[in-house]
Amino acid sequence: MRRTTSVSETPGSEKPGSERSIGERPGNPSAGVATATRGTVATGGVEATGTGAVTTGGAATPTAPTYQQPHQPLLTVEALQTHFELRQWGFLRVGSVRAVDGVSFTLDHGESATIVGESGCGKSSLARTLLGLHRPTAGRVTFAGTDLATLRGRALKAYRAAVGYVQQDPYGALPPFMKIRRILEEPLIVHGVGTRRAREERIAAALEEVGLEPAHETWQKFPHQLSGGQQQRVVIARALLLRPKLIIADEPVSMLDASVRAEILELLRTIQRQHRLALLYITHDLSTVRHYAHRAMVMYAGRIVEQGPVERLLDRPHHPYTRALLAALVDPDAANAHQQRPIPAGEPPSLLHPPSGCRFHPRCPAIMVGRCEHFDPEEAHPRPGHRVACWLHSR
Amino acid sequence: MSPWRDGLRRLRRYPSALLGALIIVALLATAVYAVVTIPYSEAQRLWRGGDLWQELPVNAGPVWADRLFGGDAPRTLRIPTAAAPIAEEAYEGVRITEQRLTFDFTYSEFPSEINLFLGSSGSDRQPFVRATWITPQGEQIPLDARRIGANERISISQNQTLEGRLGAPPQIGLFSATSAGAGTDQQALEVQQGTYQLLLETVHFAETSELHGELIVYGQVHGWAGTDHQRRDLSVALLWGTPIALAFGLIAAVGTTVTTLIIAAAGVWFRGWVDAVIQRLTEINIILPLLPILVMIGTLYSTSIWLMLGVVVVLGIFSAGIKMYRAMLLPIREAPYITAAQAYGASDLRIILRYMVPRILPVLIPTFVTLIPTYVFLEASLAVLGLGDPILPTWGKILYDAQDQSALYHGFYYWVLSPAALLMLTGLGFALLGFALDRVFNPRLRSL
Ligand SMILES: Nc1ncnc2c1ncn2[C@@H]1O[C@H](COP(=O)(O)OP(=O)(O)O)[C@@H](O)[C@H]1O
Ligand code: SF4
Ligand SMILES: [Mg+2]
């Protein structure tokens, strides 16, 4: 209950203001000031805008966003909630699964961010909500300055072309009864791209880009005739075909052979850099995060509990959950990440009846009894761009 | 390898499938042959019947069936006047002509009927004709003498006085070895083989007056299919019944399965009230009996085959198949590739038609193939019930006529057996192929 109130305040009253400041006020300091008076959620959006320019450059990444209105993020997520109603006999409400429950972050043009969290914490639900496949229960997603909820018809279709999707299960992601050529032609047909010839050229180019040469041999095949790694390359090619600005990769390697994981991740990163795409890389495996993304977000029970620049988050984690995840990593090298690491003791929380107060409190070794289980932690900012939702760091 | 080609390759291992396919190909070839050789309008015209069949015998069996059992039943003989030489004598005001229609009768069984078709032309004054039968022994039997109009039919075998004189029906009496007196046992009469003549002596009352016509000695067998009570050649209906049956079965099967599948997919895809409405309509429709509804429509409204087809398809849309397809489609709805298609902007219609339906199409093929004969039988049943299409020749209509005329009681087995055999052959062909397809395309059965 407490949680719902804190979140639902934001969308109603504070959105318009925050949106305007993101879109039109380039001056970061003023935005920062405006932030201070706003609720936790809106703060995130604006703070991150600053981060995009400052921190990403500081992290010595070569692909810092340098083009197109640098102060308007590509993607802004504000207090996003996606709840799934559970019904009995088709109408009786028996509860709702709070799969995404108040998520805020921004993503700049060409920026890559990763979302880490245990399985079942709502990562895929978040991804699908961002893709416009679930209607958000509350909150707002803004893409290149446009509210996703207002998109209809052509504009919505254009949005779908601008966002690519790479799924977890590459075999399931490809219709088994179509040849690769047809599979890749589908999105182009849907978006009315050119003649058959033009489409073929584009398909061939995409297949070559993902390393499936010669294209003319690959596209004669059915998905089951390819290896898992090759299938995922086809999925990536499909995500690229419509020349997106953002790719959402939902655990793109978790179902692949350990031997090909590294190369698929490398392929994604190369593509992201070459096309200056924004990339949202979702994983349950913290070990694949380092060296990979600019920014990392740690998700727990439908919320982002800590986010910040990758290096800083991994080297100086603040949230007890992040710390526990890191402690569980024996070898932080992505190349050796061939098994799922043990996760901190205790059950992952139920999203149907999430714990009160801090959702991590039943498993938290540093719990402050009397506070953590009753009150939602306020977000703390140990550094600009580094945000933690934990009472240990508030005040 | 494509799942389709793979399936076809595996299908080759079933001899029953090959046999079924062979039967279906033969039926299709027959259908094509029928449509090509007898145009649709011509088939209708032929089946309407009437005078155009007058040179065919009534209820004649197929030739091959008679020969198969060692019979020597006569075929129909046609002797036109045009082929016979004319001897003419002119008198004052009148001309007298004499023509002998000559033919050899070599069969060992009697003909079924004798008709003389005569017509006069060239003058208002009708000529007077006297017909005399001359047996191989030279015995002369007067048949009839009368004026001949433009078109006359002289039914020699119906001539009561002649029958009385002969002591047997004329078609028997005129061809028997011993001229039978009254009271002779007809069974004992023997066919007299040899050359017969029909002598036509005509008195013309005008210079231009002419006589033309034909003597028809009807056989007991005709063609490969025989004829019915209206002298119609059954081959027309047997041939044309094939395309009609196949078209009805195919259209009904395609119409019902495809629409049912699409509707099931739409319900699964849209969920919510769309699904609920489809489900309830299906449940209502399942308890509605199809045949009585068709009988009702046929009785009260129209028995047009196309109307029946429409009703069958419409009532078949919300058939029990929806429940089955729904169960198969529910897991497919959640397939990641569907989510992917949504994510790149595929429309609802595209997802239903291109991603959901094709996925279960292979499973549907066997059902579809075995469904075709069901509808063929349905059409035949309607026809047998007297609700067949009024103008089209179909297998069911033959059966209806046969039953109406008590064919089996009269021993006209061919009349019932040939359409029944075609119906069963159709059922057999599609069933053989369908069951084999089921084993190939239905993964649950394949593992058995
Ligand atoms: N369409 C849905 N309807 C109902 N519950 C859902 C749906 N999608 C996901 N969930 C629930 O939401 C929770 C989060 O799932 P998910 O987003 O897949 O987590 P993750 O991807 O992190 O493993 C799970 O408990 C799952 O059962
Ligand atoms: S708020 Fe309390 S329970 Fe939650 S993570 Fe921080 S210390 Fe642990
Ligand atoms: Mg997931």
Side-chain angles (χ1 to χ4, degrees):
Chain A
M1 269 286 102
R2 216 166 277 126
R3 206 155 287 286
T4 328
T5 33
S6 80
V7 169
S8 56
E9 281 169 12
T10 346
S13 51
E14 257 123 0
K15 277 264 174 55
S18 70
E19 189 195 39
R20 206 173 301 122
S21 69
I22 294 165
E24 291 163 14
R25 262 187 253 167
N28 278 320
S30 66
V33 174
T35 309
T37 55
R38 267 184 233 132
T40 14
V41 181
T43 319
V46 181
E47 272 287 352
T49 317
T51 325
V54 181
T55 335
T56 332
T61 326
T63 46
T66 52
Y67 64 111
Q68 282 189 4
Q69 304 158 292
H71 301 292
Q72 186 189 56
L74 177 67
L75 181 74
T76 310
V77 180
E78 297 163 88
L80 190 69
Q81 294 186 354
T82 305
H83 297 176
F84 299 109
E85 301 271 308
L86 290 187
R87 290 170 192 277
Q88 214 160 18
W89 303 316
F91 56 92
L92 248 177
R93 259 197 70 173
V94 292
S96 62
V97 177
R98 303 160 153 250
V100 179
D101 203 16
V103 167
S104 303
F105 66 91
T106 63
L107 198 61
D108 274 329
H109 289 272
E111 189 187 14
S112 70
T114 173
I115 295 179
V116 188
E118 285 168 278
S119 140
C121 71
K123 304 183 298 293
S124 298
S125 304
L126 173 61
R128 285 195 295 263
T129 311
L130 296 181
L131 284 158
L133 303 179
H134 294 316
R135 194 185 297 267
T137 313
R140 183 206 304 248
V141 178
T142 315
F143 185 83
T146 321
D147 187 345
L148 195 55
T150 65
L151 293 180
R152 295 281 180 279
R154 278 172 171 275
L156 181 61
K157 221 169 164 184
Y159 174 73
R160 297 206 181 284
V163 184
Y165 186 28
V166 177
Q167 283 152 296
Q168 183 172 8
D169 166 16
Y171 182 60
L174 301 171
F177 50 86
M178 288 185 185
K179 287 186 182 174
I180 302 302
R181 175 216 203 112
R182 178 75 203 180
I183 292 173
L184 293 178
E185 202 176 357
E186 276 290 311
L188 297 175
I189 294 175
V190 165
H191 287 270
V193 173
T195 59
R196 192 186 161 84
R197 229 214 152 93
R199 290 196 295 261
E200 269 179 13
E201 276 164 21
R202 237 161 116 164
I203 293 167
L207 280 174
E208 271 159 34
E209 183 158 12
V210 297
L212 288 176
E213 289 167 291
H216 300 262
E217 250 169 54
T218 311
W219 74 22
Q220 294 298 339
K221 294 183 178 170
F222 283 94
H224 69 86
Q225 293 170 293
L226 301 177
S227 71
Q230 288 172 322
Q231 287 166 359
Q232 195 60 299
R233 283 169 194 269
V234 172
V235 173
I236 292 170
R238 181 172 66 186
L240 275 179
L241 267 176
L242 295 171
R243 312 213 165 118
K245 291 199 174 70
L246 164 67
I247 286 191
I248 298 179
D250 187 358
E251 310 213 30
V253 294
S254 69
M255 283 181 76
L256 299 182
D257 245 32
S259 55
V260 297
R261 285 183 185 172
E263 62 189 54
I264 295 292
L265 283 179
E266 190 49 44
L267 173 69
L268 264 176
R269 185 158 67 164
T270 313
I271 284 170
Q272 182 248 330
R273 284 184 182 160
Q274 272 174 4
H275 294 264
R276 297 191 172 178
L277 300 174
L279 175 70
L280 197 61
Y281 165 53
I282 295 172
T283 179
H284 65 260
D285 187 357
L286 200 55
S287 66
T288 57
V289 168
R290 194 187 286 268
H291 311 303
Y292 194 70
H294 301 122
R295 229 144 40 78
M297 297 177 247
V298 179
M299 194 166 176
Y300 188 81
R303 301 192 157 181
I304 289 178
V305 292
E306 181 167 12
Q307 59 175 302
V310 166
E311 302 293 329
R312 179 163 168 88
L313 194 117
L314 294 184
D315 293 340
R316 312 201 49 189
H318 280 53
H319 197 283
Y321 179 59
T322 318
R323 285 183 192 155
L325 282 178
L326 278 167
L329 284 182
V330 183
D331 184 354
D333 191 338
N336 294 339
H338 56 278
Q339 52 188 208
Q340 199 167 327
R341 308 285 163 194
I343 292 168
E347 291 278 300
S350 148
L351 295 176
L352 190 55
H353 304 289
S356 61
C358 170
R359 294 193 170 176
F360 188 53
H361 84 254
R363 295 163 79 184
C364 181
I367 180 172
M368 286 176 277
V369 180
R371 189 196 256 180
C372 296
E373 72 267 44
H374 296 307
F375 306 105
D376 258 356
E378 277 167 18
E379 264 202 339
H381 310 269
R383 281 278 192 90
H386 188 175
R387 295 153 58 193
V388 188
C390 171
W391 283 123
L392 285 178
H393 305 281
S394 297
R395 253 165 266 166
Chain B
M1 162 140 4
S2 134
W4 295 101
R5 232 184 301 153
D6 190 41
L8 283 182
R9 203 170 42 94
R10 253 181 292 124
L11 197 61
R12 265 189 267 146
R13 276 189 264 135
Y14 293 92
S16 61
L18 284 186
L19 181 60
L22 216 66
I23 294 175
I24 293 170
V25 166
L27 286 170
L28 283 174
T30 311
V32 169
Y33 174 80
V35 175
V36 168
T37 52
I38 313 171
Y40 182 71
S41 57
E42 177 71 2
Q44 281 184 22
R45 193 178 69 85
L46 290 175
W47 202 242
R48 209 176 304 128
D51 282 350
L52 66 112
W53 294 112
Q54 65 186 6
E55 72 274 14
L56 260 52
V58 173
N59 287 139
V63 176
W64 60 268
D66 179 68
R67 302 298 184 260
L68 196 64
F69 296 107
D72 186 28
R75 293 171 191 257
T76 301
L77 300 174
R78 301 173 60 174
I79 308 100
T81 51
I86 307 178
E88 183 170 332
E89 286 171 53
Y91 297 90
E92 203 176 310
V94 293
R95 288 156 51 228
I96 298 180
T97 59
E98 203 182 283
Q99 272 187 296
R100 286 167 194 269
L101 307 184
T102 311
F103 64 96
D104 289 330
F105 193 80
T106 54
Y107 301 99
S108 56
E109 287 174 51
F110 292 105
S112 61
E113 194 182 358
I114 308 167
N115 278 338
L116 178 61
F117 296 93
L118 285 179
S120 66
S121 58
S123 167
D124 293 342
R125 303 187 58 195
Q126 299 176 345
F128 186 87
V129 177
R130 190 169 65 190
T132 311
W133 190 258
I134 306 174
T135 64
Q137 278 88 15
E139 189 187 349
Q140 299 208 351
I141 305 167
L143 297 180
D144 209 348
R146 61 157 89 168
R147 285 187 180 277
I148 295 300
N151 261 310
E152 303 265 346
R153 168 192 181 133
I154 303 164
S155 299
I156 297 171
S157 46
Q158 307 273 308
N159 191 327
Q160 298 295 323
T161 48
L162 184 60
E163 181 171 350
R165 270 189 283 138
L166 292 170
Q171 71 272 24
I172 294 173
L174 290 176
F175 283 92
S176 34
T178 52
S179 116
T184 318
D185 185 2
Q186 280 183 28
Q187 301 298 332
L189 293 177
E190 289 251 322
V191 175
Q192 171 71 56
Q193 297 173 339
T195 305
Y196 287 83
Q197 289 179 355
L198 179 72
L199 176 64
L200 294 177
E201 293 161 295
T202 316
V203 183
H204 293 284
F205 300 101
E207 200 52 44
T208 52
S209 169
E210 270 179 27
L211 188 74
H212 54 84
E214 187 174 35
L215 169 72
I216 300 185
V217 179
Y218 294 91
Q220 290 185 16
V221 292
H222 176 78
W224 58 267
T227 60
D228 66 5
H229 61 302
Q230 296 183 35
R231 303 175 189 272
R232 293 179 299 194
D233 190 337
L234 285 179
S235 70
V236 172
L238 290 176
L239 279 176
W240 251 91
T242 318
I244 293 175
L246 292 183
F248 189 91
L250 199 74
I251 295 173
V254 170
T256 52
T257 41
V258 170
T259 46
T260 302
L261 183 55
I262 290 174
I263 286 189
V268 167
W269 178 246
F270 291 112
R271 299 197 269 223
W273 66 267
V274 178
D275 195 28
V277 167
I278 290 173
Q279 295 276 80
R280 297 300 89 77
L281 277 177
T282 307
E283 280 145 22
I284 293 169
N285 194 42
I286 285 172
I287 55 167
L288 289 180
L290 178 63
L291 197 58
I293 289 180
L294 290 176
V295 168
M296 218 166 70
I297 291 173
T299 319
L300 299 178
Y301 187 59
S302 151
T303 50
S304 158
I305 197 170
W306 307 117
L307 177 78
M308 292 295 177
L309 185 59
V311 174
V312 165
V313 170
V314 168
L315 289 180
I317 289 175
F318 291 95
S319 66
I322 282 197
K323 298 272 177 192
M324 186 180 83
Y325 303 149
R326 199 178 116 83
M328 283 156 54
L329 285 164
L330 274 174
I332 291 170
R333 186 197 198 286
E334 306 303 329
Y337 74 83
I338 300 232
T339 318
Q342 253 185 308
Y344 60 66
S347 63
D348 292 332
L349 196 66
R350 191 173 192 90
I351 288 176
I352 290 171
L353 294 182
R354 293 235 175 226
Y355 298 92
M356 292 174 73
V357 169
R359 187 71 190 275
I360 63 168
L361 223 46
V363 187
L364 213 75
I365 297 294
T367 324
F368 169 74
V369 169
T370 38
L371 205 58
I372 293 176
T374 321
Y375 288 119
V376 172
F377 290 148
L378 179 69
E379 188 271 326
S381 318
L382 285 174
V384 170
L385 288 175
L387 299 168
D389 189 281
I391 51 171
L392 281 180
T394 65
W395 299 338
K397 289 273 287 291
I398 304 180
L399 284 171
Y400 172 74
D401 288 341
Q403 185 217 21
D404 196 43
Q405 300 291 319
S406 314
L408 291 180
Y409 174 76
H410 291 298
F412 305 137
Y413 298 106
Y414 68 93
W415 203 355
V416 177
L417 289 183
S418 39
L422 282 172
L423 277 168
M424 286 190 289
L425 207 60
T426 310
L428 183 72
F430 284 100
L432 284 178
L433 185 66
F435 292 150
L437 282 170
D438 209 21
R439 294 199 162 265
V440 168
F441 284 109
N442 206 327
R444 271 177 298 116
L445 278 176
R446 199 190 304 161
S447 57
L448 291 180

